[in-house]
């Protein structure tokens, strides 16, 4: 399949973070782009402002006339989140349209480029964003498809100038639905391979086998940077000629030395097989972010970014929306929002928070994401969340899933050991916060729609309204 064979692009599920990046890419390349999504969000509104028509009703009547009249010239891009009973999808299938999953299109876009793919059950969005930022900041002509809004770019998409002999493309390699198997990278980073998406994989062993397949697709002569804590079997199928390096904060072929927390800055030296870099200053806090930065630096070094440019690039990196994002600081209170939705992510977040704010009262509001993930990791969630002095648990955000009998937020709460803990409906959070402000540090965590609380909470804190109602 060749993209030049198509003149019109239609997206089913255009508001997803990965889908919207590809939609923006097609728009920037001059294609007419339309899309459907279930819900109007800030992201879909941004797409509309950029000239992409989006509708929110699953109705064939909303399909653009150009799409209806030019079947053979229309490419339909599909997200796995679209349900099987979706009317528009059913119609387009029956009519014989070319329908490709988001991951397949990403594979086609990157097939002729020098690609850097960042995989992992957590850490991939931040790591891929840092890679893209370091390259862009150093003047490397590159494009990037990211799974979050990089604050330096204010976008999930970076488009290169196309002046290089071979384009460099940075992509987030998503393991959900085995999407990353469409990618054949020159450089691969695997940040983690902890059990997740067991609704897709069934068990940890199948997840490991799928990561092995992804790693086997790194091109001969390429590079694999693997977190030292991952399963050693991941490299069983690596192709001959691929250079494999392990990394972690404390050990491996690449690691960090002299790590210090200085206010909000994490300062450290990097020991790397491609040359050590001293005096790194990272303004996006978190031990896990220092580790993600280490992996990104290795990729940048392979692409000939020099030490001084790396140092300047890291110091200039301002993070990713909803990844340890400081929303408010003032009047003795701090509010941070984070996308953490897996126990390992929450554990990493909480460890970093405790290092930044020792002896402070920490309140966490967490929205579990998916019934299956809650079922599979309830005990692990409880353990990581128990590091908070006060925990508010919201109802499970179902996303693509139907409810499971007996699976509610209660199965986490009953195992939490925090001194103060309670269940709360999302709609009650703001009202409760107006009455109860007994905290120094507040964090909202989760991958569902908990982000809709960020602005109202920020408003309460900025206007010193807590305790007034």
């Amino acid at each position: 399949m060749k993209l030049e064979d198509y003149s019109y692009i239609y997206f089913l599920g255009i508001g997803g973070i990965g889908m919207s990046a590809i939609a923006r890419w097609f728009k920037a390349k001059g294609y007419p782009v339309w899309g459907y999504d279930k819900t109007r969000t800030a992201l879909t509104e941004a797409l509309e402002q950029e000239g992409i028509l989006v509708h929110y009703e699953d109705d064939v009547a909303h399909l653009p006339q150009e799409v209806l009249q030019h079947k053979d010239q229309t490419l339909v891009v599909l997200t796995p989140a679209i349900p099987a009973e979706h009317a528009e999808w059913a119609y387009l299938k029956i009519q014989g349209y070319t329908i490709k999953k988001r991951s397949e299109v990403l594979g086609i876009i990157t097939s002729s480029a020098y690609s850097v793919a960042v995989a992992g059950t957590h850490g991939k969005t931040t790591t891929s964003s840092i890679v893209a930022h370091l390259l862009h900041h150093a003047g490397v002509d590159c494009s990037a498809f990211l799974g979050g809004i990089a604050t330096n770019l204010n976008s999930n998409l970076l488009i290169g100038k196309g002046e290089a002999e071979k384009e460099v493309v940075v992509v987030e390699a998503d393991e959900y639905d085995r999407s990353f198997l469409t990618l054949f990278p020159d450089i691969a980073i695997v940040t983690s391979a902890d059990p997740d998406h067991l609704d897709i994989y069934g068990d940890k062993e199948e997840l490991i086998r799928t990561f092995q397949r992804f790693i086997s697709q790194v091109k001969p002569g390429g590079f694999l940077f693997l977190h030292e804590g991952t399963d050693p079997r991941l490299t069983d199928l690596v192709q001959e000629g691929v250079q494999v390096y392990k990394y972690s904060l404390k050990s491996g072929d690449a690691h960090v030395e002299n790590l210090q927390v200085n206010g909000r800055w994490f300062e450290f030296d990097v020991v790397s097989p491609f040359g050590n870099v001293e005096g790194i200053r990272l303004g996006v806090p978190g031990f896990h972010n220092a580790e993600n930065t280490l992996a990104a630096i290795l990729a940048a070094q392979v692409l000939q970014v020099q030490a001084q440019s790396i140092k300047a690039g890291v110091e200039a990196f301002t993070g990713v929306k909803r990844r340890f994002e400081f929303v408010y600081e003032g009047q003795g209170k701090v509010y941070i929002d984070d996308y953490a939705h897996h126990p390992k992510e929450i554990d990493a977040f909480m460890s970093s928070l405790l290092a930044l704010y020792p002896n402070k009262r920490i309140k966490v509001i967490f929205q579990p994401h998916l019934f299956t993930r809650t079922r599979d990791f309830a005990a692990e969630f409880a353990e990581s969340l128990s590091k908070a002095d006060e925990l508010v648990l919201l109802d499970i955000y179902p996303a693509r899933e139907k409810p499971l009998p007996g699976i509610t937020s209660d199965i986490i709460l009953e195992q939490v050991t925090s001194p103060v803990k309670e269940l709360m409906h999302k709609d009650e959070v703001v009202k409760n916060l107006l009455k109860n402000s007994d905290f120094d540090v507040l964090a909202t965590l989760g991958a569902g729609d908990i982000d809709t609380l960020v602005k109202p909470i920020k408003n309460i804190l900025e206007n010193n309204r807590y305790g007034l109602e």
Side-chain angles (χ1 to χ4, degrees):
M1 175 190 156
K2 297 179 180 178
L3 295 180
E4 52 264 34
D5 293 337
Y6 298 93
S7 302
Y8 307 98
I9 315 295
Y10 185 71
F11 284 79
L12 287 170
I14 197 168
I17 193 71
M19 290 281 280
S20 59
I22 298 176
R24 283 170 159 157
W25 184 87
F26 276 111
K27 178 70 175 174
K29 296 295 182 181
Y31 288 86
V33 178
W34 302 267
Y36 157 86
D37 207 273
K38 183 179 179 180
T39 308
R40 183 185 297 274
T41 64
L43 190 46
T44 61
E45 289 176 355
L47 294 177
E48 291 181 84
Q49 290 168 7
E50 293 162 22
I52 296 173
L53 294 177
V54 182
H55 67 269
Y56 303 93
E57 292 181 46
D58 176 19
D59 190 337
V60 174
H62 290 303
L63 290 172
Q65 286 302 308
E66 292 90 338
V67 168
L68 293 171
Q69 292 169 4
H70 301 282
K71 179 180 75 175
D72 294 338
Q73 297 174 52
T74 297
L75 173 63
V76 178
V77 187
L78 175 75
T79 174
I82 290 290
E85 63 273 16
H86 195 271
E88 290 185 23
W89 184 20
Y91 173 83
L92 293 166
K93 278 192 292 186
I94 291 169
Q95 294 299 316
Y97 281 77
T98 300
I99 303 175
K100 296 291 182 183
K101 287 184 178 180
R102 172 185 60 85
S103 57
E104 294 177 291
V105 176
L106 194 56
I108 294 165
I109 291 172
T110 59
S111 61
S112 60
Y114 186 97
S115 61
V116 183
V118 183
T121 44
H122 25 264
K124 55 184 175 287
T125 298
T126 300
T127 305
S128 56
S129 297
I130 300 172
V131 174
H133 171 76
L134 290 180
L135 297 179
H136 184 57
H137 191 270
V140 176
D141 188 10
C142 70
S143 296
F145 296 85
L146 307 172
I149 304 298
T151 54
N152 291 88
L153 302 171
N154 195 30
S155 181
N156 53 353
L157 175 69
L158 170 65
I159 297 183
K161 298 175 183 176
E163 297 173 353
E165 186 176 332
K166 189 163 190 177
E167 185 182 18
V168 176
V169 178
V170 180
V171 294
E172 182 169 327
D174 190 1
E175 78 282 355
Y176 174 70
D177 198 36
R178 300 176 174 84
S179 294
F180 58 2
L181 296 182
T182 64
L183 302 172
F184 294 81
D186 296 274
I187 300 173
I189 297 171
V190 178
T191 62
S192 52
D194 295 312
D196 199 9
H197 302 302
L198 298 185
D199 55 322
I200 299 294
Y201 290 102
D203 57 32
K204 177 185 176 181
E205 293 305 307
E206 178 58 21
L207 179 75
I208 294 297
R209 283 190 289 271
T210 308
F211 267 90
Q212 287 174 332
R213 287 176 61 195
F214 167 71
I215 286 170
S216 76
Q217 294 175 183
V218 179
K219 295 173 185 174
F223 296 82
L224 169 64
F225 301 118
L226 191 68
H227 190 279
E228 196 170 53
T230 55
D231 193 305
R233 296 173 294 168
L234 289 185
T235 56
D236 284 357
L237 301 179
V238 69
Q239 292 197 64
E240 189 175 347
V242 174
Q243 298 183 52
V244 180
Y245 297 94
K246 299 282 186 74
Y247 74 91
S248 74
L249 269 190
K250 296 182 179 178
S251 61
D253 302 302
H255 56 272
V256 162
E257 290 184 347
N258 305 316
L259 175 62
Q260 295 182 339
V261 180
N262 186 4
R264 217 198 266 183
W265 293 88
F266 276 53
E267 300 174 346
F268 52 90
D269 302 327
V270 165
V271 176
S272 163
F274 308 107
N276 297 351
V277 186
E278 297 181 351
I280 295 290
R281 297 185 76 240
L282 175 67
V284 180
F287 297 109
H288 55 302
N289 285 326
E291 206 162 50
N292 294 334
T293 301
L294 169 62
I297 287 171
L298 295 173
Q301 287 182 315
V302 169
L303 287 162
Q304 305 301 311
V305 178
Q306 300 304 305
Q308 283 304 116
S309 290
I310 286 172
K311 289 173 62 175
V314 172
E315 188 161 350
F317 181 65
T318 53
V320 182
K321 294 287 288 181
R322 302 214 65 229
R323 268 67 173 187
F324 223 110
E325 182 182 2
F326 283 82
V327 178
Y328 173 81
E329 286 182 276
Q331 303 175 86
K333 295 191 184 297
V334 177
Y335 171 34
I336 300 168
D337 181 46
D338 197 273
Y339 189 70
H341 58 282
H342 184 283
K344 291 274 190 180
E345 295 168 345
I346 295 170
D347 197 56
F349 175 86
M350 291 301 300
S351 295
S352 299
L353 202 61
L354 291 166
L356 282 172
Y357 300 105
N359 306 314
K360 297 292 186 180
R361 181 171 176 81
I362 296 173
K363 177 175 182 173
V364 170
I365 303 171
F366 175 58
Q367 181 187 50
H369 185 264
L370 299 180
F371 295 101
T372 52
R373 188 181 282 126
T374 304
R375 176 198 64 197
D376 294 335
F377 302 113
E380 291 88 344
F381 275 123
E383 183 178 357
S384 58
L385 290 165
S386 292
K387 292 181 177 180
D389 298 295
E390 181 179 350
L391 174 67
V392 174
L393 263 183
L394 307 185
D395 296 331
I396 297 170
Y397 184 79
R400 57 191 175 267
E401 293 185 338
K402 306 289 186 189
L404 294 174
I407 304 301
T408 68
S409 296
D410 280 292
I411 69 172
I412 297 175
L413 191 76
E414 65 188 14
Q415 301 178 71
V416 168
T417 59
S418 297
V420 180
K421 60 180 184 178
E422 64 180 317
L423 293 174
M424 193 176 296
H425 192 277
K426 186 167 73 78
D427 293 342
E428 297 296 313
V429 168
V430 172
K431 189 193 308 182
N432 179 267
L433 203 62
L434 287 167
K435 299 175 182 175
N436 174 19
S437 60
D438 186 19
F439 60 83
D440 303 306
V441 180
L442 174 67
T444 44
L445 305 179
D449 61 358
I450 191 171
D451 60 320
T452 61
L453 295 176
V454 173
K455 284 185 179 178
I457 290 173
K458 181 183 180 183
N459 181 55
I460 291 171
L461 296 173
E462 281 183 338
N463 293 289
N464 195 19
R465 291 176 59 205
Y466 37 83
L468 299 180
E469 296 186 10

